[in-house]
Amino acid sequence: MSELKGAMIIGQSGGPSSVINSSCYGAIKAGLDSDVITKVYGAANGIVGVLNDKLYVMDEEDPAELEIMRYTPSSALGSCRYKIADPDVDDTDYKKILEIFKKYDVRYFFYNGGNDSMDTCNKISKYMNKVGYDCRVIGIPKTIDNDLYGTDHCPGFSSAAKYIATSIVEVYQDSHVYDKGQVTIFEIMGRHAGWLAGAASLANVTGFGPDLVYLPEVDFNMDEFIEDVKAIWEKNHNVIVAVSEGIHYADGTFVSEAKTSATDGFGHAQLGGLASRLADVVKNAIDGVKVRPIEFSLLQRCAEHCASQTDSDEAFMAGQAAVNEAIKGATDKMVGFKCTRDANGYKCETELLDLAKVANYEKKVPVEWINERGNNVTDEFIKYALPLIQGEIKMKWENSLPRFVKLKKVVAK
Amino acid sequence: MSELKGAMIIGQSGGPSSVINSSCYGAIKAGLDSDVITKVYGAANGIVGVLNDKLYVMDEEDPAELEIMRYTPSSALGSCRYKIADPDVDDTDYKKILEIFKKYDVRYFFYNGGNDSMDTCNKISKYMNKVGYDCRVIGIPKTIDNDLYGTDHCPGFSSAAKYIATSIVEVYQDSHVYDKGQVTIFEIMGRHAGWLAGAASLANVTGFGPDLVYLPEVDFNMDEFIEDVKAIWEKNHNVIVAVSEGIHYADGTFVSEAKTSATDGFGHAQLGGLASRLADVVKNAIDGVKVRPIEFSLLQRCAEHCASQTDSDEAFMAGQAAVNEAIKGATDKMVGFKCTRDANGYKCETELLDLAKVANYEKKVPVEWINERGNNVTDEFIKYALPLIQGEIKMKWENSLPRFVKLKKVVAK
C-alpha cells in the first residue's frame, strides 16, 4: 500500500462515556506523532462540525494539556446525534463533506462512537470510495451500552460497569443499616441491550450485590417481579433490585412507558421514571415497606473518578490502532477487540472489522447468560465482565477535585 | 479524676455516612488499646441494641478485619431512628438501659450520630447522673447535613460534599457535549440546612460548576427561579442548577410537597421528586429545552470511593478523642472540631462541648454566605468547605471492587 500524505479529522458522536476522550487522545497523539499525517483536526460536535466547516486544530494545543484528555470524561470535542441521509436518496451532506475534505486535504477520517456513528462512518467510507476520493476511514468504537457487533466489548462499557457495581456495593451497606430493612431499586441505562444492568451483578463478587437483575433481553412479567421481590423480602427483609431502563412486557411495550391502571396514580409515565414506578408497585404489594428508587442517570456514563484503568488503556489503544492501521493502508474498518480469558488471565488485542458488518447491528446479552426465571445473570456474565473493570483510574486531581482538560479549540480557516 | 474501670458501649444512630465507621473504629481501637476499658461492645442498631440486650463483642473480631471498618461506608453496627422518651414522662427505657449497663459493667457509653442522637446521648447522660450510676457519656458527631451546633463541621459532611462536587464537575462535561445544550438539575440532601447543596458550588473551583444554587436558608420563589434559569439559558444555552431537597416557599411549604395547579400534572408530589418537578417547570417555561433531573439519593452519603481523606482522618480522630477524653474523666460532652483557616493553611483540633448545648440545635448556613438574589453561595462558603474535601481516600479494593468489612458480630451473653 502506498503512503498517503494528508490531514486527518477525528470526530466524536453519540452519548459520551468516561473513556471516549482516551480513544480520541490515542488517535490525536498517533496523528501528531506521524510524519505522514500533516495536520490533526478535531471536528466540533462530530459530523456536524465537518458539515459546518468547524474544525479545531489539535496541533495548536499544548501537549501537556492535551494529555489530560486521556482522563477527562465525556466528548471534549463535542458530540452530536445527527442522522446522515442515505446517499442514494440525498447526497447533499456527502458533497459538503467531500468539499471540506478537499479544502483541508483530509485523507484520514476517524469517527468515535456507537452504532449510529458506525453507520455514518460506513456511509462516508462507501461514498468516498464511490466518488474516487482517496481517503481512509476507520471507526473507533465507543458505547457504554456495549452493543456493537463483532467486538468482544466496547470502550466505555467497562467504566460504567465498574461505577455501577461499586455504587451498588456501597449503597448495599447503607440499605442494610436499619433493622426494618428496605427495597432498593436501581435503574440502569441500556434501552435494548442489558449489558450494563447485568454489570450490577458484579457487586455480588464482594458479597454485597443485587438479589434481582432484569434485562431487556427477556420479557418482563410484573406479577413474577412482585412474587420475586416478596419472596426475598419475606426471607431477608431486604431486597436489592437492578433493572435496565429498557425492560418491556411480552407485547414489546416498555415498562417505563406502559399505561397502567388509574389506581397506581400514573398516566403516561415519563421516560427515566422506571425505578420510581416500580417502587410504587412494590409499595402497593408489600404493606408498610420502605422503597428507595435510585436512578444512575448521567452519573453512570461520566464518573471518571471511578473509571476502569483497563477500559481507559484499551480505549487509548483503540484510538492509536485506528490511526496506525490507517497509515499502513487500512480503510472501511472499525477497530474491535479480540480477547481471551483463560488460566493465563485476560488478554485484549485490537483487530479490524468491516464497517458494513458492524453498522446497525445490536449485540445483546446471550440468553444463555440469563437465568431461567429471567431475574438474574449467570456466572458466565461475571467471567466475561470482571476482567474489564480491573484497575483504579490514574486521573489528575487539583484542589482534590477532578482536573479535566481545557482545550484552546483554535478553529481552522 | 479517679480511674474508672469497666466496659464500654459504642452505638451508631441516624442516617449513615461514608466515615461514621471511621469514627466508630477510632473509638473501638482506643477502647481495645486501653487497660482501663475491660471490654468493648458495639450496640446492634444503636440504642435499640442496648434496649434489646443485643451487644456485639468487638474484642472477638479479627484486628486486621476490624481495621477495614475505617474505610467502609454506612454504619457497620447497624443504625436506628429510635426516639427516646423524656425520662420525666416515661423512664422505662432508661431503667432498661441502666439494667444492661449494670449487667455488663458498662462505665463508658459513646453514641455516634447527628442531632437526635446527641439528644439521646444527653438524656442518658443526665439520667445516669441523676440515679448516681457512674458512667461517662460522650457523643461523637456524624451527619452529612453538617448541622450540629458548636462544631466547625461534622464528620460525614466533607465526604458527601466531595462526592457531590466531583460528580457535578463530571456531569458538567457530559451536559455540555451537544450543541443544543441542556438544563441539568441536581437534587441534594439537606432538609433544613443547605450545607450540602452549597457544597455543589465547590465544583466552580474547577471552572465546571453550577450556575445556580438554592438553599433552604432562604425562601424559594418559583418566578425568580424561572427568570434565573431563562436568563442563563439565553446567554449560554446551558444551565446547571443545584437545589437542596428542603427548599420552601415563603409560607414554609416545601417546594417538593406543594400542591400545584392541575396543569402541571402533579397532585401531591412524592418526597424526593423535587428535581423532576422543577424539570417540568423549566420544560414548560422554555420552549423545546432538554432538561435532566438528577437525584443523588443515597449515593451521596455512602460513596466511599470518592470520600475525603481529611474527613476520614478527622472522623477517626473524633472517635479516638471521645474514648481517650472519657478515660481521663470527661463526661456529658460531645467531641467537636475547632478549626483555623489562614495563611498557614487549615488546621483541625478536637474540643469538648456540653451535650446539653449541642442537642437539638440546628446549625444553618450563615445568611451572609448566601448571595442577595438567594441563588448561590459566596466565596466565604468555598473558603470554609474546600479544605474539608482534601485528599483522595485510601480505601481497600479487591477484584477492583470495594473491599468492605465483614464483622463476626459475636453477641454478648
Side-chain angles (χ1 to χ4, degrees), chain A residues 45 74 79 81 170 173-174 177-178 206 270 283 301 304-305 390-391 399-400 406, chain B residues 45 74 79 81 170 173-174 177-178 206 270 283 301 304-305 390-392 399-400 406:
Chain A
N45 299 101
S74 186
S79 187
R81 291 211 182 269
E170 291 173 337
Q173 313 303 314
D174 193 297
V177 86
Y178 294 116
T206 69
Q270 265 196 294
K283 272 181 222 162
R301 73 181 193 194
E304 189 71 31
H305 71 276
Q390 297 304 300
N399 289 310
S400 278
K406 290 174 187 179
Chain B
N45 298 101
S74 185
S79 187
R81 291 214 183 268
E170 291 174 336
Q173 312 303 313
D174 194 296
V177 86
Y178 294 115
T206 70
Q270 266 196 293
K283 272 181 221 161
R301 73 181 195 195
E304 189 70 31
H305 71 276
Q390 297 304 301
E392 284 62 72
N399 290 309
S400 278
K406 290 173 186 178

mmCIF file of all heavy atoms in Angstrom, chain A residues 45 74 79 81 170 173-174 177-178 206 270 283 301 304-305 390-391 399-400 406, chain B residues 45 74 79 81 170 173-174 177-178 206 270 283 301 304-305 390-392 399-400 406:
data_model
loop_
_atom_site.group_PDB
_atom_site.id
_atom_site.type_symbol
_atom_site.label_atom_id
_atom_site.label_comp_id
_atom_site.label_asym_id
_atom_site.label_seq_id
_atom_site.Cartn_x
_atom_site.Cartn_y
_atom_site.Cartn_z
ATOM 1 N N ASN A 45 -18.385 18.906 17.533
ATOM 2 C CA ASN A 45 -19.668 18.187 17.535
ATOM 3 C C ASN A 45 -19.796 17.196 16.383
ATOM 4 O O ASN A 45 -20.776 17.203 15.627
ATOM 5 C CB ASN A 45 -20.844 19.172 17.521
ATOM 6 C CG ASN A 45 -20.853 20.071 18.747
ATOM 7 O OD1 ASN A 45 -20.448 21.223 18.686
ATOM 8 N ND2 ASN A 45 -21.258 19.521 19.868
ATOM 9 N N SER A 74 -16.615 12.321 29.012
ATOM 10 C CA SER A 74 -17.441 12.983 28.002
ATOM 11 C C SER A 74 -16.614 13.272 26.748
ATOM 12 O O SER A 74 -15.468 12.850 26.658
ATOM 13 C CB SER A 74 -18.061 14.254 28.575
ATOM 14 O OG SER A 74 -18.948 14.807 27.649
ATOM 15 N N SER A 79 -20.235 16.524 20.839
ATOM 16 C CA SER A 79 -20.851 15.374 20.192
ATOM 17 C C SER A 79 -22.078 15.814 19.405
ATOM 18 O O SER A 79 -22.430 16.996 19.385
ATOM 19 C CB SER A 79 -21.258 14.360 21.263
ATOM 20 O OG SER A 79 -21.703 13.167 20.659
ATOM 21 N N ARG A 81 -26.029 14.058 17.540
ATOM 22 C CA ARG A 81 -26.885 12.903 17.255
ATOM 23 C C ARG A 81 -27.451 13.047 15.841
ATOM 24 O O ARG A 81 -28.573 12.675 15.566
ATOM 25 C CB ARG A 81 -28.010 12.789 18.285
ATOM 26 C CG ARG A 81 -27.547 12.410 19.672
ATOM 27 C CD ARG A 81 -28.584 11.601 20.421
ATOM 28 N NE ARG A 81 -28.161 11.277 21.771
ATOM 29 C CZ ARG A 81 -27.510 10.169 22.102
ATOM 30 N NH1 ARG A 81 -27.199 9.283 21.189
ATOM 31 N NH2 ARG A 81 -27.175 9.930 23.355
ATOM 32 N N GLU A 170 -21.684 -0.077 47.684
ATOM 33 C CA GLU A 170 -21.742 0.978 48.700
ATOM 34 C C GLU A 170 -23.161 1.181 49.220
ATOM 35 O O GLU A 170 -23.382 1.248 50.442
ATOM 36 C CB GLU A 170 -21.188 2.287 48.106
ATOM 37 C CG GLU A 170 -19.687 2.195 47.859
ATOM 38 C CD GLU A 170 -19.086 3.375 47.116
ATOM 39 O OE1 GLU A 170 -19.832 4.084 46.405
ATOM 40 O OE2 GLU A 170 -17.874 3.580 47.227
ATOM 41 N N GLN A 173 -24.423 -1.289 51.754
ATOM 42 C CA GLN A 173 -24.079 -1.024 53.157
ATOM 43 C C GLN A 173 -25.141 -0.120 53.786
ATOM 44 O O GLN A 173 -25.575 -0.331 54.916
ATOM 45 C CB GLN A 173 -22.712 -0.329 53.283
ATOM 46 C CG GLN A 173 -21.575 -0.929 52.474
ATOM 47 C CD GLN A 173 -21.310 -2.380 52.764
ATOM 48 O OE1 GLN A 173 -21.249 -2.787 53.920
ATOM 49 N NE2 GLN A 173 -21.194 -3.186 51.722
ATOM 50 N N ASP A 174 -25.533 0.881 53.026
ATOM 51 C CA ASP A 174 -26.475 1.874 53.520
ATOM 52 C C ASP A 174 -27.864 1.270 53.683
ATOM 53 O O ASP A 174 -28.548 1.473 54.693
ATOM 54 C CB ASP A 174 -26.506 3.048 52.538
ATOM 55 C CG ASP A 174 -27.210 4.265 53.094
ATOM 56 O OD1 ASP A 174 -28.411 4.167 53.366
ATOM 57 O OD2 ASP A 174 -26.569 5.311 53.266
ATOM 58 N N VAL A 177 -28.761 -0.911 56.874
ATOM 59 C CA VAL A 177 -28.350 -0.328 58.145
ATOM 60 C C VAL A 177 -29.444 -0.335 59.213
ATOM 61 O O VAL A 177 -29.169 -0.436 60.395
ATOM 62 C CB VAL A 177 -27.776 1.088 57.866
ATOM 63 C CG1 VAL A 177 -28.870 2.123 57.833
ATOM 64 C CG2 VAL A 177 -26.700 1.418 58.838
ATOM 65 N N TYR A 178 -30.683 -0.260 58.778
ATOM 66 C CA TYR A 178 -31.777 -0.246 59.763
ATOM 67 C C TYR A 178 -32.346 -1.639 59.950
ATOM 68 O O TYR A 178 -32.352 -2.444 59.009
ATOM 69 C CB TYR A 178 -32.888 0.710 59.314
ATOM 70 C CG TYR A 178 -32.448 2.145 59.295
ATOM 71 C CD1 TYR A 178 -32.395 2.856 58.100
ATOM 72 C CD2 TYR A 178 -32.067 2.792 60.471
ATOM 73 C CE1 TYR A 178 -31.971 4.185 58.078
ATOM 74 C CE2 TYR A 178 -31.641 4.105 60.446
ATOM 75 C CZ TYR A 178 -31.594 4.803 59.255
ATOM 76 O OH TYR A 178 -31.178 6.104 59.245
ATOM 77 N N THR A 206 -18.390 -9.270 45.719
ATOM 78 C CA THR A 206 -17.977 -8.791 47.045
ATOM 79 C C THR A 206 -18.841 -9.365 48.162
ATOM 80 O O THR A 206 -18.539 -9.186 49.339
ATOM 81 C CB THR A 206 -18.094 -7.250 47.145
ATOM 82 O OG1 THR A 206 -19.495 -6.903 47.135
ATOM 83 C CG2 THR A 206 -17.406 -6.558 45.999
ATOM 84 N N GLN A 270 -43.218 9.371 32.378
ATOM 85 C CA GLN A 270 -42.032 9.956 31.765
ATOM 86 C C GLN A 270 -40.972 8.897 31.613
ATOM 87 O O GLN A 270 -40.834 8.035 32.468
ATOM 88 C CB GLN A 270 -41.451 10.980 32.728
ATOM 89 C CG GLN A 270 -41.884 12.380 32.505
ATOM 90 C CD GLN A 270 -40.942 13.291 33.261
ATOM 91 O OE1 GLN A 270 -40.930 13.253 34.489
ATOM 92 N NE2 GLN A 270 -40.169 14.099 32.553
ATOM 93 N N LYS A 283 -44.487 -0.851 46.822
ATOM 94 C CA LYS A 283 -45.169 -0.273 47.992
ATOM 95 C C LYS A 283 -46.607 -0.781 48.089
ATOM 96 O O LYS A 283 -47.106 -1.043 49.187
ATOM 97 C CB LYS A 283 -45.171 1.253 47.906
ATOM 98 C CG LYS A 283 -43.939 1.893 48.526
ATOM 99 C CD LYS A 283 -44.029 3.412 48.412
ATOM 100 C CE LYS A 283 -42.678 3.993 48.026
ATOM 101 N NZ LYS A 283 -42.771 5.355 47.492
ATOM 102 N N ARG A 301 -22.328 7.392 33.130
ATOM 103 C CA ARG A 301 -21.519 7.442 31.911
ATOM 104 C C ARG A 301 -20.408 8.481 31.949
ATOM 105 O O ARG A 301 -19.686 8.644 30.972
ATOM 106 C CB ARG A 301 -22.402 7.603 30.671
ATOM 107 C CG ARG A 301 -23.018 8.952 30.491
ATOM 108 C CD ARG A 301 -23.886 8.984 29.226
ATOM 109 N NE ARG A 301 -24.225 10.339 28.888
ATOM 110 C CZ ARG A 301 -25.166 10.688 28.020
ATOM 111 N NH1 ARG A 301 -25.877 9.765 27.418
ATOM 112 N NH2 ARG A 301 -25.407 11.946 27.763
ATOM 113 N N GLU A 304 -15.688 9.612 35.902
ATOM 114 C CA GLU A 304 -14.265 9.361 35.653
ATOM 115 C C GLU A 304 -13.553 8.886 36.920
ATOM 116 O O GLU A 304 -12.676 8.016 36.855
ATOM 117 C CB GLU A 304 -13.605 10.660 35.164
ATOM 118 C CG GLU A 304 -12.182 10.489 34.662
ATOM 119 C CD GLU A 304 -12.126 9.738 33.332
ATOM 120 O OE1 GLU A 304 -13.069 9.852 32.535
ATOM 121 O OE2 GLU A 304 -11.118 9.043 33.106
ATOM 122 N N HIS A 305 -13.928 9.442 38.068
ATOM 123 C CA HIS A 305 -13.216 9.119 39.311
ATOM 124 C C HIS A 305 -13.362 7.647 39.682
ATOM 125 O O HIS A 305 -12.637 7.160 40.545
ATOM 126 C CB HIS A 305 -13.710 10.019 40.454
ATOM 127 C CG HIS A 305 -15.094 9.692 40.920
ATOM 128 N ND1 HIS A 305 -16.225 10.178 40.304
ATOM 129 C CD2 HIS A 305 -15.538 8.910 41.922
ATOM 130 C CE1 HIS A 305 -17.293 9.713 40.928
ATOM 131 N NE2 HIS A 305 -16.904 8.937 41.902
ATOM 132 N N GLN A 390 -11.028 -4.007 35.883
ATOM 133 C CA GLN A 390 -9.846 -4.015 36.745
ATOM 134 C C GLN A 390 -9.039 -2.712 36.665
ATOM 135 O O GLN A 390 -8.840 -2.146 35.596
ATOM 136 C CB GLN A 390 -8.945 -5.205 36.393
ATOM 137 C CG GLN A 390 -9.602 -6.559 36.632
ATOM 138 C CD GLN A 390 -10.092 -6.733 38.056
ATOM 139 O OE1 GLN A 390 -9.308 -6.680 38.983
ATOM 140 N NE2 GLN A 390 -11.393 -6.901 38.240
ATOM 141 N N GLY A 391 -8.543 -2.307 37.798
ATOM 142 C CA GLY A 391 -7.643 -1.154 37.868
ATOM 143 C C GLY A 391 -8.341 0.138 38.222
ATOM 144 O O GLY A 391 -9.326 0.514 37.582
ATOM 145 N N ASN A 399 -6.707 20.598 43.768
ATOM 146 C CA ASN A 399 -7.548 21.022 44.906
ATOM 147 C C ASN A 399 -8.462 19.867 45.340
ATOM 148 O O ASN A 399 -9.562 20.090 45.836
ATOM 149 C CB ASN A 399 -8.428 22.221 44.541
ATOM 150 C CG ASN A 399 -7.629 23.496 44.378
ATOM 151 O OD1 ASN A 399 -6.835 23.836 45.245
ATOM 152 N ND2 ASN A 399 -7.828 24.181 43.270
ATOM 153 N N SER A 400 -8.002 18.647 45.070
ATOM 154 C CA SER A 400 -8.794 17.456 45.383
ATOM 155 C C SER A 400 -10.138 17.419 44.649
ATOM 156 O O SER A 400 -11.096 16.805 45.106
ATOM 157 C CB SER A 400 -8.993 17.297 46.899
ATOM 158 O OG SER A 400 -7.850 16.681 47.450
ATOM 159 N N LYS A 406 -8.762 21.537 29.377
ATOM 160 C CA LYS A 406 -9.302 22.794 28.859
ATOM 161 C C LYS A 406 -8.602 23.074 27.536
ATOM 162 O O LYS A 406 -7.453 23.518 27.518
ATOM 163 C CB LYS A 406 -9.069 23.923 29.871
ATOM 164 C CG LYS A 406 -9.947 23.752 31.119
ATOM 165 C CD LYS A 406 -9.650 24.772 32.208
ATOM 166 C CE LYS A 406 -10.451 24.417 33.465
ATOM 167 N NZ LYS A 406 -10.223 25.337 34.583
ATOM 168 N N ASN B 45 -27.681 -1.833 66.059
ATOM 169 C CA ASN B 45 -28.689 -0.824 65.734
ATOM 170 C C ASN B 45 -28.865 0.214 66.844
ATOM 171 O O ASN B 45 -29.977 0.471 67.316
ATOM 172 C CB ASN B 45 -30.038 -1.478 65.413
ATOM 173 C CG ASN B 45 -29.950 -2.386 64.192
ATOM 174 O OD1 ASN B 45 -29.874 -3.608 64.322
ATOM 175 N ND2 ASN B 45 -29.905 -1.806 63.016
ATOM 176 N N SER B 74 -21.362 3.658 55.645
ATOM 177 C CA SER B 74 -22.556 3.265 56.387
ATOM 178 C C SER B 74 -22.185 2.830 57.803
ATOM 179 O O SER B 74 -21.036 2.926 58.206
ATOM 180 C CB SER B 74 -23.298 2.168 55.636
ATOM 181 O OG SER B 74 -24.500 1.866 56.284
ATOM 182 N N SER B 79 -27.931 0.815 62.447
ATOM 183 C CA SER B 79 -28.382 2.107 62.952
ATOM 184 C C SER B 79 -29.846 2.023 63.379
ATOM 185 O O SER B 79 -30.490 0.967 63.262
ATOM 186 C CB SER B 79 -28.211 3.169 61.868
ATOM 187 O OG SER B 79 -28.492 4.441 62.375
ATOM 188 N N ARG B 81 -33.556 4.772 64.213
ATOM 189 C CA ARG B 81 -34.129 6.120 64.307
ATOM 190 C C ARG B 81 -35.070 6.168 65.515
ATOM 191 O O ARG B 81 -36.107 6.806 65.474
ATOM 192 C CB ARG B 81 -34.883 6.476 63.016
ATOM 193 C CG ARG B 81 -33.989 6.680 61.823
ATOM 194 C CD ARG B 81 -34.538 7.745 60.884
ATOM 195 N NE ARG B 81 -33.719 7.910 59.699
ATOM 196 C CZ ARG B 81 -32.724 8.801 59.602
ATOM 197 N NH1 ARG B 81 -32.433 9.588 60.597
ATOM 198 N NH2 ARG B 81 -32.040 8.899 58.485
ATOM 199 N N GLU B 170 -18.030 16.293 36.735
ATOM 200 C CA GLU B 170 -18.097 15.249 35.713
ATOM 201 C C GLU B 170 -19.329 15.393 34.818
ATOM 202 O O GLU B 170 -19.239 15.354 33.590
ATOM 203 C CB GLU B 170 -18.071 13.871 36.387
ATOM 204 C CG GLU B 170 -16.713 13.586 37.017
ATOM 205 C CD GLU B 170 -16.653 12.302 37.823
ATOM 206 O OE1 GLU B 170 -17.708 11.821 38.296
ATOM 207 O OE2 GLU B 170 -15.542 11.781 38.010
ATOM 208 N N GLN B 173 -19.214 18.020 32.149
ATOM 209 C CA GLN B 173 -18.591 17.633 30.871
ATOM 210 C C GLN B 173 -19.654 17.021 29.959
ATOM 211 O O GLN B 173 -19.704 17.298 28.768
ATOM 212 C CB GLN B 173 -17.475 16.592 31.086
ATOM 213 C CG GLN B 173 -16.478 16.922 32.184
ATOM 214 C CD GLN B 173 -15.777 18.241 32.005
ATOM 215 O OE1 GLN B 173 -15.291 18.553 30.921
ATOM 216 N NE2 GLN B 173 -15.743 19.054 33.060
ATOM 217 N N ASP B 174 -20.464 16.160 30.555
ATOM 218 C CA ASP B 174 -21.477 15.433 29.792
ATOM 219 C C ASP B 174 -22.571 16.368 29.292
ATOM 220 O O ASP B 174 -22.988 16.305 28.139
ATOM 221 C CB ASP B 174 -22.061 14.334 30.692
ATOM 222 C CG ASP B 174 -22.866 13.323 29.911
ATOM 223 O OD1 ASP B 174 -23.894 13.714 29.328
ATOM 224 O OD2 ASP B 174 -22.486 12.134 29.877
ATOM 225 N N VAL B 177 -22.012 18.575 26.054
ATOM 226 C CA VAL B 177 -21.450 17.862 24.921
ATOM 227 C C VAL B 177 -22.194 18.111 23.604
ATOM 228 O O VAL B 177 -21.604 18.083 22.531
ATOM 229 C CB VAL B 177 -21.362 16.363 25.291
ATOM 230 C CG1 VAL B 177 -22.653 15.650 25.002
ATOM 231 C CG2 VAL B 177 -20.193 15.709 24.626
ATOM 232 N N TYR B 178 -23.473 18.370 23.688
ATOM 233 C CA TYR B 178 -24.246 18.606 22.465
ATOM 234 C C TYR B 178 -24.357 20.097 22.186
ATOM 235 O O TYR B 178 -24.406 20.895 23.120
ATOM 236 C CB TYR B 178 -25.641 17.990 22.575
ATOM 237 C CG TYR B 178 -25.606 16.487 22.660
ATOM 238 C CD1 TYR B 178 -26.034 15.830 23.802
ATOM 239 C CD2 TYR B 178 -25.118 15.732 21.599
ATOM 240 C CE1 TYR B 178 -25.985 14.444 23.887
ATOM 241 C CE2 TYR B 178 -25.066 14.350 21.680
ATOM 242 C CZ TYR B 178 -25.496 13.712 22.821
ATOM 243 O OH TYR B 178 -25.434 12.356 22.895
ATOM 244 N N THR B 206 -13.134 24.396 39.805
ATOM 245 C CA THR B 206 -12.526 23.784 38.613
ATOM 246 C C THR B 206 -12.900 24.522 37.329
ATOM 247 O O THR B 206 -12.346 24.226 36.278
ATOM 248 C CB THR B 206 -13.009 22.327 38.440
ATOM 249 O OG1 THR B 206 -14.393 22.333 38.059
ATOM 250 C CG2 THR B 206 -12.847 21.523 39.713
ATOM 251 N N GLN B 270 -44.456 13.135 45.532
ATOM 252 C CA GLN B 270 -43.669 12.293 46.442
ATOM 253 C C GLN B 270 -42.442 13.053 46.898
ATOM 254 O O GLN B 270 -41.856 13.804 46.135
ATOM 255 C CB GLN B 270 -43.122 11.113 45.652
ATOM 256 C CG GLN B 270 -43.930 9.872 45.684
ATOM 257 C CD GLN B 270 -43.073 8.733 45.195
ATOM 258 O OE1 GLN B 270 -42.722 8.717 44.030
ATOM 259 N NE2 GLN B 270 -42.742 7.808 46.067
ATOM 260 N N LYS B 283 -39.291 22.917 31.646
ATOM 261 C CA LYS B 283 -39.758 22.499 30.312
ATOM 262 C C LYS B 283 -40.946 23.348 29.864
ATOM 263 O O LYS B 283 -41.065 23.694 28.695
ATOM 264 C CB LYS B 283 -40.173 21.017 30.343
ATOM 265 C CG LYS B 283 -39.029 20.054 30.055
ATOM 266 C CD LYS B 283 -39.517 18.604 30.085
ATOM 267 C CE LYS B 283 -38.507 17.730 30.780
ATOM 268 N NZ LYS B 283 -39.072 16.454 31.244
ATOM 269 N N ARG B 301 -24.347 9.743 50.368
ATOM 270 C CA ARG B 301 -23.929 9.529 51.758
ATOM 271 C C ARG B 301 -23.145 8.247 51.971
ATOM 272 O O ARG B 301 -22.769 7.945 53.105
ATOM 273 C CB ARG B 301 -25.126 9.638 52.710
ATOM 274 C CG ARG B 301 -26.086 8.506 52.674
ATOM 275 C CD ARG B 301 -27.241 8.753 53.656
ATOM 276 N NE ARG B 301 -27.973 7.526 53.876
ATOM 277 C CZ ARG B 301 -29.166 7.457 54.430
ATOM 278 N NH1 ARG B 301 -29.785 8.556 54.822
ATOM 279 N NH2 ARG B 301 -29.760 6.302 54.611
ATOM 280 N N GLU B 304 -18.018 5.810 49.343
ATOM 281 C CA GLU B 304 -16.696 5.694 49.965
ATOM 282 C C GLU B 304 -15.578 5.942 48.947
ATOM 283 O O GLU B 304 -14.559 6.546 49.276
ATOM 284 C CB GLU B 304 -16.533 4.281 50.550
ATOM 285 C CG GLU B 304 -15.296 4.094 51.414
ATOM 286 C CD GLU B 304 -15.397 4.842 52.732
ATOM 287 O OE1 GLU B 304 -16.514 5.008 53.253
ATOM 288 O OE2 GLU B 304 -14.344 5.281 53.237
ATOM 289 N N HIS B 305 -15.782 5.438 47.711
ATOM 290 C CA HIS B 305 -14.717 5.533 46.713
ATOM 291 C C HIS B 305 -14.376 6.975 46.356
ATOM 292 O O HIS B 305 -13.351 7.225 45.732
ATOM 293 C CB HIS B 305 -15.102 4.754 45.441
ATOM 294 C CG HIS B 305 -16.184 5.407 44.645
ATOM 295 N ND1 HIS B 305 -17.527 5.235 44.923
ATOM 296 C CD2 HIS B 305 -16.134 6.239 43.587
ATOM 297 C CE1 HIS B 305 -18.228 5.940 44.053
ATOM 298 N NE2 HIS B 305 -17.418 6.543 43.233
ATOM 299 N N GLN B 390 -10.189 17.758 51.034
ATOM 300 C CA GLN B 390 -8.857 17.432 50.519
ATOM 301 C C GLN B 390 -8.458 15.974 50.760
ATOM 302 O O GLN B 390 -8.709 15.410 51.817
ATOM 303 C CB GLN B 390 -7.801 18.363 51.136
ATOM 304 C CG GLN B 390 -8.012 19.840 50.779
ATOM 305 C CD GLN B 390 -8.054 20.078 49.271
ATOM 306 O OE1 GLN B 390 -7.103 19.782 48.563
ATOM 307 N NE2 GLN B 390 -9.175 20.592 48.782
ATOM 308 N N GLY B 391 -7.819 15.408 49.782
ATOM 309 C CA GLY B 391 -7.246 14.070 49.903
ATOM 310 C C GLY B 391 -8.146 12.986 49.344
ATOM 311 O O GLY B 391 -9.328 12.904 49.680
ATOM 312 N N GLU B 392 -7.577 12.151 48.452
ATOM 313 C CA GLU B 392 -8.333 11.030 47.906
ATOM 314 C C GLU B 392 -8.200 9.842 48.865
ATOM 315 O O GLU B 392 -7.136 9.595 49.421
ATOM 316 C CB GLU B 392 -7.829 10.684 46.498
ATOM 317 C CG GLU B 392 -8.326 11.681 45.467
ATOM 318 C CD GLU B 392 -7.833 13.106 45.701
ATOM 319 O OE1 GLU B 392 -6.639 13.363 45.485
ATOM 320 O OE2 GLU B 392 -8.641 13.968 46.124
ATOM 321 N N ASN B 399 -10.425 -7.401 43.684
ATOM 322 C CA ASN B 399 -11.016 -7.610 42.358
ATOM 323 C C ASN B 399 -11.462 -6.278 41.746
ATOM 324 O O ASN B 399 -12.403 -6.234 40.959
ATOM 325 C CB ASN B 399 -12.241 -8.538 42.436
ATOM 326 C CG ASN B 399 -11.862 -9.965 42.744
ATOM 327 O OD1 ASN B 399 -10.995 -10.539 42.092
ATOM 328 N ND2 ASN B 399 -12.491 -10.543 43.755
ATOM 329 N N SER B 400 -10.799 -5.223 42.169
ATOM 330 C CA SER B 400 -11.143 -3.874 41.698
ATOM 331 C C SER B 400 -12.566 -3.462 42.061
ATOM 332 O O SER B 400 -13.197 -2.644 41.383
ATOM 333 C CB SER B 400 -10.904 -3.724 40.197
ATOM 334 O OG SER B 400 -9.528 -3.451 39.965
ATOM 335 N N LYS B 406 -16.335 -7.248 57.024
ATOM 336 C CA LYS B 406 -17.292 -8.308 57.341
ATOM 337 C C LYS B 406 -17.057 -8.718 58.788
ATOM 338 O O LYS B 406 -16.105 -9.436 59.090
ATOM 339 C CB LYS B 406 -17.107 -9.501 56.396
ATOM 340 C CG LYS B 406 -17.551 -9.181 54.965
ATOM 341 C CD LYS B 406 -17.227 -10.274 53.969
ATOM 342 C CE LYS B 406 -17.583 -9.777 52.567
ATOM 343 N NZ LYS B 406 -17.277 -10.738 51.501
#
